[in-house]
Amino acid sequence: MNTTTKDTVIGVWPTLVYRDGQAALKFLTEGLGFTLVASYAGVAEGSIAHAQLAWPAGGGVMVSSAGRNAEPNEFDHLAEQVQSVYLVCEDPDALWPQVLAAGATVVRERRSEDYGSYGFSVADPEGNVWSIGTYRGEIGALSTGGKQ
C-alpha cells in the first residue's frame, strides 16, 4: 500500500502580546490546553521574545511579552489592549472546569448559539477574551482561492 502524507500549512496565526509572558504561557497550556511548541526568552527577565503554541484541533497562536526587546517596539502597546481569539473545541463542557481553575473570568456562560455552536467565552488573567465553541467556521470559496 502506498500512502502519502500532506503537511498542513497554517496560514493564519493570531499573535498576542502580554505583560506577563510566563503567566500567559501557564494559562494557555494548563488552562486552555495549548501545547507549547517553542519559546524564546526576551531581554527582560521572564519575558518572552517569541512563543508558539499548538491548538489540539489545529492551528495555534504566537505569544510574546512586553520587555522582550532592549527598546520598545511598535507591538508593545498590544499588551495594554484587550485581544480576542476563537478556539474550536469538540467538547467545551470538558474544558470548562479546567479553564476556570486556571483563573479565567467568565465573559459568556456556556450556551447554544442560533448558528449551531455550543460554547462559552472567558477572559484570561490579562483580560484577553477566549471564545471556545463547537462551530468550525465556513471558508467556502476562500479555501480554493475563490475557484469552485
Side-chain angles (χ1 to χ4, degrees), residues 135-146:
Y135 181 69
R136 294 193 168 277
E138 296 179 31
I139 299 296
L142 293 177
S143 66
T144 61

Side-chain angles (χ1 to χ4, degrees), residues 76-130:
D76 285 346
H77 75 281
L78 293 175
E80 304 304 322
Q81 297 179 5
V82 172
Q83 302 164 81
S84 177
V85 178
Y86 176 77
L87 303 172
V88 175
C89 180
E90 293 287 327
D91 187 2
D93 286 331
L95 191 56
W96 178 255
Q98 177 179 321
V99 172
L100 295 181
T105 303
V106 177
V107 172
R108 187 182 64 213
E109 293 283 343
R110 294 175 287 175
R111 68 183 191 197
S112 295
E113 301 293 346
D114 59 0
Y115 53 89
S117 186
Y118 173 77
F120 60 89
S121 296
V122 295
D124 66 27
E126 291 197 19
N128 298 302
V129 177
W130 294 88

